[in-house]
Amino acid sequence: PALLGEDAEHEVVAALDRAAPEIDAALAEDDFERGLAAAAGLAPSLDRYFTDVLVMAEDSAVRGNRLRLLLDVRDIVGRLGDFSQLPL
């Protein structure tokens, strides 16, 4: 948290904090549609993140923190399933 500098970073963290329990609750109730809706709710924050934040910052600690945040998104949304298995 100490390395979060941009408002957009804080916004993604807050969105994840809201989405994760909603996804978990939806999965516990076998409500995949509700889980997907919770994951889709991350889109505005992630759009802003990729617009406002230079993920590959020169500072390696900041860069690592930003990449870790994206891994957190992947891990939380990945609870819904392996999206790499969807045909394109």
Side-chain angles (χ1 to χ4, degrees), residues 2-87:
L3 294 175
L4 297 174
E6 303 289 332
D7 288 342
E9 291 175 283
H10 291 280
E11 187 177 319
V12 170
V13 170
L16 282 174
D17 287 346
R18 289 187 304 272
E22 182 64 25
I23 289 170
D24 290 340
L27 289 173
E29 297 172 9
D30 292 325
D31 189 346
F32 189 69
E33 189 172 326
R34 186 172 122 210
L36 284 176
L42 296 169
S45 298
L46 290 171
D47 284 344
R48 181 173 179 217
Y49 183 78
F50 285 115
T51 300
D52 295 355
V53 175
L54 177 62
V55 176
M56 300 305 287
E58 287 189 36
D59 183 318
S60 63
V62 171
R63 179 176 57 245
N65 200 56
R66 290 174 178 174
L67 290 170
R68 179 70 248 174
L69 182 56
L70 294 175
L71 289 174
D72 290 345
V73 171
R74 182 205 59 191
D75 292 345
I76 289 169
V77 174
R79 294 174 190 170
L80 294 165
D82 184 356
F83 292 98
S84 70
Q85 297 301 310
L86 295 174

